[in-house]
Amino acid sequence: MTVADQPRADAEVRKPSALRDHVGGRALDLFHSAWSPTPASVRGWAVAAVIVNVGITVTGAAVRLTGSGLGCPTWPRCTPGSFVPAAHDAHSPMNMAIEFGNRLLTFLVLAVAIACVVAVTRVSPRRSSLVRLAWIQPAGVAGQALWGGVVVHSVLNPVTVSVHFLLSIGMTAAAFALYARSGEGDAPPRRLVHRDIRTLGFVLIAAVAVLLVAGVVVTGTGPHSGDDAASRFAFDIESVARLHADVVWVVLGLTFALLFALHVTDSPGRARRAALVLLGVELAQGVIGYVQYFLAVPALLVALHVLGAALVWIATLRVVYLMRSRGPAGATVAEEDHLDAAGV
């Protein structure tokens, strides 16, 4: 090596070291954000919980859409006698890798869930309402893991697969509740809109819940079963698809009514904007739904539709949370009244 080459060699040595230092620093920051939390970092972990729950919902759909539902044909092992993928005549290495990868993502969801519990337990002041919400996450991960065994042992029975999805939707709702509650106080809830508008919001949540159930019935009747050995609902696909579309129109009608009511009553700006975002998400989801139907449900569009379903659910919850107040965390009543008067 010449003298001229020495600086270049030193730089090459420093690059991996700098990368390790950066990654180690980020990991340490994450640890401190949970172990020595601030109200902001608690909310950050709640956002992370929402993201990972939506993420594993979409990747779970990808497992089914790629025909990898039984890529790991046993549970808790992947194959008989092995917790990791091993050669198996009935399943391709790709299908096994996809299913095993999705199982590994469970540990990411669990890590975020534990971080949420640690953060809300150690933040000052400690709030019991947040602790209860945070514990739903690890409990839900454990329940989902056990239910995953039921799904595998039932050979992807559509009822068990549907429940698996709906449990993820419930965990997403709990994570969003943790996010919303961590950004406000613990005062009794106070309506920011007319009572009837608030009631309309609850009706909309119920309608979206029905829409999600109708969606899993369509999925359980359609072609993407996850494996050739999986059974299907004995419904006519066109009939359940039309029923699903009818519920979509009901949800859109309720959303438009809510948006109109919020505007004509001069409700807080945050609630009006959230309702407008919800309507936009629903319209985009509706377009994807109709396109996938007329294109014979291609896998990519189905995956986008699953993501859209989760986003519609979150956007609906957000609207309803913004129609009431428990007071901003740490703010006085006078400051809260000032914000309401300003419409923010």
Side-chain angles (χ1 to χ4, degrees), residues 6 30 32 49 60 72 85 114 145 165 186 238 251 275 331 343:
Q6 185 63 40
L30 285 174
H32 283 304
C72 287
I114 292 173
F165 170 81
D186 286 321
E238 290 192 7
V251 169

Side-chain angles (χ1 to χ4, degrees), residues 196-210:
D196 294 340
I197 298 177
R198 181 102 165 113
T199 300
L200 179 59
F202 290 131
V203 172
L204 178 58
I205 286 180
V208 172
V210 172

Side-chain angles (χ1 to χ4, degrees), residues 3 18 31-32 54 65 67 83 102 107 109 135 158 166 169 199 208-209 212 223 245 258 269 292 302 332 334 342:
V3 174
F31 173 78
H32 283 304
V54 171
L65 294 168
F83 284 96
N102 189 64
F107 293 99
V109 181
W135 270 109
L166 294 175
I169 289 296
T199 300
V208 172
L212 293 171
L258 179 62
Q292 74 168 5
V302 175
T332 64

Side-chain angles (χ1 to χ4, degrees), residues 52 56 59 75 99-113 140-142 144-146 164 171:
V52 295
I56 201 167
T59 59
W75 188 95
E99 164 62 5
F100 185 70
N102 189 64
R103 290 190 182 189
L104 288 180
L105 283 177
T106 301
F107 293 99
L108 174 61
V109 181
L110 178 61
V112 173
V141 172
Q144 280 283 63
L146 293 174
H164 210 29
M171 287 184 63

Side-chain angles (χ1 to χ4, degrees), residues 15-96:
K15 281 181 182 179
S17 178
L19 179 60
R20 286 195 300 271
D21 291 344
H22 177 72
V23 172
R26 292 297 300 164
L28 191 61
D29 289 342
L30 285 174
F31 173 78
H32 283 304
S33 69
W35 190 254
S36 303
T38 63
S41 66
V42 168
R43 210 168 196 218
W45 280 113
V47 171
V50 173
I51 292 172
V52 295
N53 276 293
V54 171
I56 201 167
T57 301
V58 176
T59 59
V63 169
R64 176 173 52 82
L65 294 168
T66 56
S68 306
L70 293 177
C72 287
T74 63
W75 188 95
R77 291 180 171 84
C78 180
T79 55
S82 175
F83 284 96
V84 298
H88 196 279
D89 294 338
H91 304 283
S92 73
M94 179 61 70
N95 290 146
M96 297 179 72

Side-chain angles (χ1 to χ4, degrees), residues 32-34 36-47 116 119-120 122-127 130 178-185 328-330:
H32 283 304
S33 69
S36 303
T38 63
S41 66
V42 168
R43 210 168 196 218
W45 280 113
V47 171
C116 286
V120 300
R122 292 184 58 83
V123 73
S124 181
R126 180 173 173 176
R127 299 167 57 187
L130 299 188
L178 178 61
Y179 164 76
R181 291 288 290 113
S182 63
E184 61 186 10

Side-chain angles (χ1 to χ4, degrees), residues 307-327:
L307 174 61
L311 295 179
V312 167
W313 180 235
I314 292 169
T316 304
L317 296 173
R318 180 169 177 259
V319 173
V320 175
Y321 271 104
L322 289 176
M323 291 195 295
R324 62 100 178 98
S325 174
R326 291 177 179 266

